[in-house]
Amino acid sequence: MSQYDEGHTVAGWTGTAIATIGSAVVGAGICTVSAVLITGGLGITAASVLVTWALHLTGWGKPPGVRPRGQWRMGARDLTARDGHADCWGCRLAGRGRGRALERPSVAATSEAVIVTGEQEPAVAEAR
């Protein structure tokens, strides 16, 4: 697996930020013994799941597996999200990807294999 292809999506960072805020509100509610804050924080945390899912379905997430190197940057949009991803339960929950994924190979399946060695790449290569 690639060490550079995890968490570099708008959906991932947005969902994490919203969940962090929700967790902080729940924590504040526990410290102040406030049912309103606890309930509100749990609602914000639940909203983070829905926001992340919606962003994934609109192409701001990533399909399961390693993407081609050209799509590793943070703002890369997944153009195959509309049809659904073959092994993605989020796409299946939305009614995508099950039938069409069998007809059309995914981006990861059509891209060339990348051999990852234990050597570190220069920092200049990561800045692209």
Side-chain angles (χ1 to χ4, degrees):
M1 287 299 220
S2 171
Q3 57 187 351
Y4 300 107
D5 191 36
E6 296 300 324
H8 296 271
T9 65
V10 173
W13 280 100
T14 303
T16 300
I18 295 171
T20 301
I21 292 168
S23 298
V25 173
V26 168
I30 290 172
C31 290
T32 61
V33 191
S34 170
V36 173
L37 284 178
I38 293 172
T39 305
L42 291 174
I44 293 169
T45 305
S48 74
V49 173
L50 297 175
V51 168
T52 304
W53 186 32
L55 286 171
H56 171 78
L57 293 175
T58 57
W60 292 109
K62 79 176 208 64
V66 180
R67 295 177 293 179
R69 186 176 188 93
Q71 296 178 7
W72 284 0
R73 63 184 178 80
M74 173 72 162
R77 192 158 188 192
D78 178 22
L79 301 177
T80 63
R82 174 168 266 189
D83 295 330
H85 303 114
D87 296 326
C88 178
W89 62 268
C91 290
R92 287 188 183 173
L93 284 174
R96 301 179 182 179
R98 194 154 249 203
R100 289 182 289 275
L102 297 175
E103 299 169 7
R104 184 177 304 143
S106 67
V107 174
T110 59
S111 65
E112 61 186 49
V114 177
I115 299 172
V116 178
T117 61
E119 300 172 9
Q120 293 290 330
E121 294 179 337
V124 177
E126 292 178 9
R128 280 190 256 163

